[in-house]
Amino acid sequence: MKSDCMQTTICQERKKDPIEMFHSGQLVKVCAPMVRYSKLAFRTLVRKYSCDLCYTPMIVAADFVKSIKARDSEFTTNQGDCPLIVQFAANDARLLSDAARIVCPYANGIDINCGCPQRSLEKWMHLHFSAFRILSSLPVIYNSLVHVFALQRWAMAEGYGACLINKPELVQDMVKQVRNQVETPGFSVSIKIRIHDDLKRTVDLCQKAEATGVSWITVHGRTAEERHQPVHYDSIKIIKENMSIPVIANGDIRSLKEAENVWRITGTDGVMVARGLLANPAMFAGYEETPLKCIWDWVDIALELGTPYMCFHQHLMYMMEKITSRQEKRVFNALSSTSAIIDYLTDHYGI
């Protein structure tokens, strides 16, 4: 978020108000906050394929407020990147409200991570860069899961993320402080949560957040301890039935058909997708697998926006997971330069 481009990145018109979208009666299709992945280039791509609302990767509010370097590296946007929600990890109401005031001119709202605890990219890369380079040679899905689980343990220990579902008063305080500090009309304050074993506690948390002025709630239908277990869509439905504000359903949605089915059975106002969009950024447009046009769109967007090579390559590894053979994966995953990737794509798939 460099100062020389602030005027060109302000989302002045805010043409698509998320709250109005949630009250339209139509399925609102949301790109989840994903560490390393849901940055500007990927958000630009999924918006081309019917994604209605995008979140940034999770940003640690304390770092964002205290460090200009963190602000410049963690948050990049442009005028087309709208509507946009900036997700923060926070356990301090004052720091969160300070962070919200900084991003307010450039986004439609902020979200408090109370569900899927993950670490900011900058800190994580500093501490785990060597491990990341080793893991990046492994199958991409395994690579992602290893990272997510490690980050979840860190965030829980630091008092961020899923542990906040056990601290409703702190969540209320953070929402209140942002509401008091940010006076921009229509600026949203949302939370993303996991569920408790005792669902009554989750409903109570959500009702307290609603009473404090939270704009909507995203519910990942698993507990903080669950990993591969089936998503409890019935629990999301119960939460929605007890709320007056919009609710977004999240968890294991891999196609537009699945998204529409979850939307119907939960009665929610939207669905949020993470890994499904990584594997197929055109998912919300109804494609069953990533179309070649989407792959080339990614190349164009990534090169235009200056996406780092590792991110550029890994997104393609996800997108091509279902459309390449095992031998092709080995060759493609071993490529080490942008020019080699473009040559490979041209030779195998044309332009």
Side-chain angles (χ1 to χ4, degrees), residues 102-176:
I102 293 171
V103 301
C104 177
Y106 314 98
N108 294 76
I110 63 125
D111 183 80
I112 307 169
N113 187 326
C114 306
C116 297
Q118 298 178 339
R119 193 172 188 176
S120 70
L121 175 61
E122 184 175 55
K123 276 194 171 183
W124 182 85
M125 286 292 286
H126 177 72
L127 294 174
H128 301 281
F129 182 73
S130 297
F132 174 76
R133 293 196 62 177
I134 295 170
L135 288 169
S136 65
S137 65
L138 301 175
V140 68
I141 299 298
Y142 173 76
N143 181 20
S144 176
L145 291 175
V146 168
H147 296 158
V148 168
F149 296 159
L151 299 176
Q152 285 177 337
R153 289 192 295 271
W154 173 88
M156 290 289 281
E158 291 294 318
Y160 296 125
C163 68
L164 291 176
I165 65 174
N166 300 316
K167 300 178 180 180
E169 292 78 15
L170 176 55
V171 174
Q172 286 182 297
D173 188 33
M174 290 194 287
V175 173
K176 285 179 182 176

